[in-house]
Amino acid sequence: MYFKFTFCPIILLLWASLSFAQNVNVVIYGAASIAKTNDNFVCVTLDWWPAEKCDYNHCPWGKAGILNLDLRYGALINAIKAFNPLRIKVGGSLQDNVVYKVGEVSSCPNFMKREDGLFGFSQGCLSMERWDQLNRFFNHTGVKLTFGLNALFGRNESQTEKGLWIGDWQPQNTRDFMQYTISKGYKVDSYEFGNQLSGSGMGAKVDAKQYGKNVIVLKNLVKELYAHPETQPKVLGPGGFYEEKWFNTFLEVSGQGIVDGLTHHIYNLGPVSIYAPVQWDDPNMMNKILDPSYLNQVSQTYKGVSDVVNKFRPQLGAWVSESGGALNGGSKDVSRTFADGFWYLDQMGMASTYDQKVFCRQALIGGNYGLLNATTFVSIPDYYGALLWHRLMGSTVLAVTKESDPNLRVYAHCAKKKPGVSLIFINLSKDRSFNITLSNAKPGDAGKPNYEFVGKQNREEYHLRALTGDIKDDIVCLNDVPMVQTDSEDIPAMDPKLVDASTPISIAVQSIAYVTIRDFEAPACV
């Protein structure tokens, strides 16, 4: 099941040494933070898709859906436990087609292919037996849970406008579900109301005013059932693509203090196929991932969402509650490879600078974008990048500037739980490495030269590269050691390389590096 390697091939090191090296100075502004993330910024989803979910004659979900995922696999359990804790959002396209078998609901149908159904499927059901199993699993692995609720229950599709669902949301099934959850002592950190119903919607949509009125009903229901504020789950919404007018209207109708967190989705790489059904993958997907100007385009969405948050000030700020890069299950030729990390980790870096509190990856398992292989449960390269972020990057975000090739992406945070700062460097260039020196921008020195930083303690460095140097590889090396699960299905050790502080930070071609500097003086991190 697992490949065995001791070291990454030496040819990779030789190739890196032959690349052209550019000297770059990076300035860190440590006097004050520019944003704050949640301590559990890294988040993953579990989706409802059944095995019958197929696109372009390709069926990548297998038994990875919420209703049929085997929760006993050691690799799955250990992958979650390694985060200690991991935020998981249960939800996805079919969540507005799920009823809960509790209270007045007596039948519990499985999802079935249905041409006129939402996303091509009939209604499905979550039994309380399965809910019990899931909660035992969440408790055992220490999950911080966000649960996506069915926001279409009781509504009907309009006869005059395709995709528009009208009428009031009926909360009784959700009430019964919450009461059962409370009676069992199950912990839910937050409830998200609906999936991709905002704006033009995906498969279904709800008018912004209608959604705003109904989310008030949900908030009052949560306050009624969870009497103690300290155990009261937060209410999130709308969990869809950002459209300025829709978001503004919904928040104006619902008012302040109703939605605790404003959630939105990002799929900035577009659909996986532009030639469907003739060709499965977009042949330009890799070019998008390696193009800094393309990656920058999504910043306009983050800015728009941030502006709405600043206007209405929800308690928890903005969350990216779903992001998989490529729509329709991810790219089968890219999402599982080392190359996807250039998109994924850059997105987390960019989102954090725009004060996004949480970033949820679609998905933990399933589709082509799962952090775990849906069949073998082996971790893909992005899993290790996410785990390092979770362990190293603290919640305080710092400004950072550089003058260099745009292929070098840099983000800085206060180090997590310990003194110092942590940085992530992403090198998109295939023929240029970078030698980095750091400068510390002192407060009150605007317009003056920054002070070059020379540390006295060894730096902690974590260099991520593709196994053979080909970014299409699905095995990543950390400090030249391949990351593969052990025979006992544990996540391998992820130890730093200690580097002399007097030397430049070296970032190899098409690689990613986390660097933690314990003696960097940043007042914002004290």
Side-chain angles (χ1 to χ4, degrees):
M1 180 176 176
Y2 301 109
F3 297 98
K4 293 293 183 182
F5 298 97
T6 305
F7 297 102
C8 292
I10 192 69
I11 189 173
L12 175 58
L13 302 179
L14 294 174
W15 176 51
S17 68
L18 294 174
S19 65
F20 173 73
Q22 180 174 331
N23 296 325
V24 177
N25 182 251
V26 171
V27 181
I28 301 173
Y29 297 81
S33 65
I34 60 169
K36 290 274 190 179
T37 69
N38 191 283
D39 285 338
N40 298 106
F41 176 73
V42 177
C43 164
V44 296
T45 70
L46 285 175
D47 209 305
W48 293 99
W49 288 121
E52 293 77 16
K53 166 61 175 172
C54 306
D55 293 290
Y56 323 117
N57 299 316
H58 180 64
C59 308
W61 283 91
K63 293 187 177 181
I66 294 164
L67 297 179
N68 52 23
L69 177 63
D70 191 334
L71 304 173
R72 299 170 297 176
Y73 276 95
L76 175 64
I77 292 169
N78 293 336
I80 296 174
K81 280 187 170 183
F83 281 82
N84 189 33
L86 177 62
R87 181 185 294 278
I88 288 181
K89 190 198 83 169
V90 171
S93 297
L94 293 180
Q95 81 179 49
D96 294 303
N97 225 18
V98 176
V99 297
Y100 318 119
K101 188 186 177 186
V102 62
E104 298 176 357
V105 175
S106 56
S107 63
C108 199
N110 293 321
F111 289 115
M112 301 289 290
K113 281 281 195 178
R114 178 176 161 181
E115 190 172 329
D116 63 343
L118 186 61
F119 295 101
F121 283 91
S122 67
Q123 192 176 73
C125 171
L126 174 64
S127 70
M128 292 304 96
E129 291 78 13
R130 181 59 174 174
W131 185 229
D132 293 340
Q133 293 171 5
L134 287 165
N135 277 279
R136 286 193 292 269
F137 175 77
F138 295 149
N139 184 60
H140 176 61
T141 54
V143 164
K144 199 170 187 70
L145 180 65
T146 296
F147 188 87
L149 294 168
N150 180 345
L152 292 184
F153 196 89
R155 305 187 205 268
N156 296 295
E157 187 170 5
S158 169
Q159 298 297 310
T160 58
E161 184 175 349
K162 184 174 176 58
L164 176 66
W165 286 65
I166 58 177
D168 283 327
W169 173 66
Q170 299 299 318
Q172 186 60 50
N173 192 222
T174 293
R175 172 186 285 274
D176 294 338
F177 173 70
M178 286 184 180
Q179 287 177 325
Y180 181 87
T181 299
I182 294 167
S183 72
K184 290 288 188 174
Y186 298 150
K187 296 179 181 178
V188 177
D189 175 73
S190 45
Y191 289 108
E192 187 176 38
F193 190 50
N195 183 81
Q196 295 181 346
L197 301 175
S198 58
S200 302
M202 286 286 289
K205 61 183 178 180
V206 173
D207 176 76
K209 292 181 179 179
Q210 183 69 57
Y211 183 93
K213 290 193 299 182
N214 293 150
V215 81
I216 294 173
V217 175
L218 173 60
K219 181 67 172 183
N220 289 335
L221 178 62
V222 170
K223 290 169 69 175
E224 174 194 342
L225 297 181
Y226 292 87
H228 301 289
E230 62 271 17
T231 61
Q232 193 176 100
K234 303 297 188 287
V235 172
L236 311 174
F241 293 107
Y242 173 68
E243 291 187 20
E244 181 180 2
K245 182 178 179 181
W246 195 100
F247 271 57
N248 273 282
T249 300
F250 135 60
L251 288 169
E252 286 168 357
V253 170
S254 60
Q256 295 203 7
I258 299 299
V259 175
D260 299 295
L262 186 70
T263 55
H264 66 110
H265 294 179
I266 294 286
Y267 281 92
N268 59 312
L269 296 180
V272 297
S273 178
I274 58 174
Y275 302 111
V278 177
Q279 183 171 321
W280 163 257
D281 249 342
D282 177 355
N284 200 37
M285 191 69 67
M286 188 70 76
N287 294 333
K288 292 178 180 178
I289 285 176
L290 296 175
D291 182 353
S293 62
Y294 186 90
L295 294 176
N296 287 340
Q297 291 175 14
V298 74
S299 65
Q300 295 304 309
T301 298
Y302 290 128
K303 183 180 184 306
V305 172
S306 294
D307 289 345
V308 173
V309 167
N310 290 335
K311 181 178 179 181
F312 293 96
R313 301 191 180 281
Q315 175 189 351
L316 302 181
W319 292 22
V320 178
S321 63
E322 186 177 312
S323 184
L327 281 164
N328 297 346
S331 167
K332 74 178 182 66
D333 293 330
V334 177
S335 296
R336 300 176 182 179
T337 69
F338 177 78
D340 197 63
F342 296 133
W343 160 78
Y344 177 41
L345 298 176
D346 184 67
Q347 280 295 293
M348 289 207 291
M350 190 185 302
S352 67
T353 65
Y354 281 93
D355 211 30
Q356 310 288 294
K357 305 304 184 184
V358 172
F359 191 98
C360 295
R361 165 69 177 251
Q362 170 80 344
L364 172 62
I365 187 167
N368 291 301
Y369 39 34
L371 293 183
L372 308 179
N373 184 289
T375 304
T376 65
F377 292 83
V378 168
S379 302
I380 70 166
D382 280 354
Y383 171 87
Y384 296 101
L387 184 55
L388 283 173
W389 181 292
H390 179 75
R391 291 177 175 179
L392 302 175
M393 306 293 277
S395 59
T396 300
V397 186
L398 304 176
V400 59
T401 60
K402 62 178 176 60
E403 293 181 4
S404 74
D405 190 318
N407 286 302
L408 177 66
R409 323 278 283 184
V410 187
Y411 302 98
H413 289 221
C414 295
K416 194 163 191 176
K417 296 181 180 179
K418 293 182 179 180
V421 299
S422 290
L423 301 101
I424 180 171
F425 298 92
I426 302 170
N427 184 359
L428 304 175
S429 175
K430 65 180 180 181
D431 55 16
R432 182 167 298 183
S433 59
F434 296 95
N435 292 324
I436 311 294
T437 57
L438 299 177
S439 290
N440 193 349
K442 298 292 185 179
D445 287 341
K448 296 182 179 180
N450 296 300
Y451 296 86
E452 182 177 350
F453 170 77
V454 179
K456 296 180 180 179
Q457 297 182 28
N458 287 339
R459 297 189 302 267
E460 301 165 19
E461 298 189 359
Y462 304 78
H463 292 267
L464 299 171
R465 301 172 180 168
L467 176 65
T468 64
D470 184 349
I471 60 174
K472 294 180 181 178
D473 280 341
D474 60 2
I475 295 178
V476 61
C477 294
L478 171 60
N479 294 335
D480 303 322
V481 178
M483 292 288 98
V484 291
Q485 279 131 316
T486 66
D487 290 335
S488 59
E489 300 184 318
D490 287 321
I491 299 302
M494 301 177 70
D495 299 320
K497 177 170 65 173
L498 300 180
V499 181
D500 186 341
S502 66
T503 61
I505 300 167
S506 180
I507 310 299
V509 298
Q510 292 191 325
S511 72
I512 299 166
Y514 287 94
V515 178
T516 296
I517 304 168
R518 295 296 176 196
D519 55 347
F520 192 97
E521 294 181 5
C525 301
V526 175

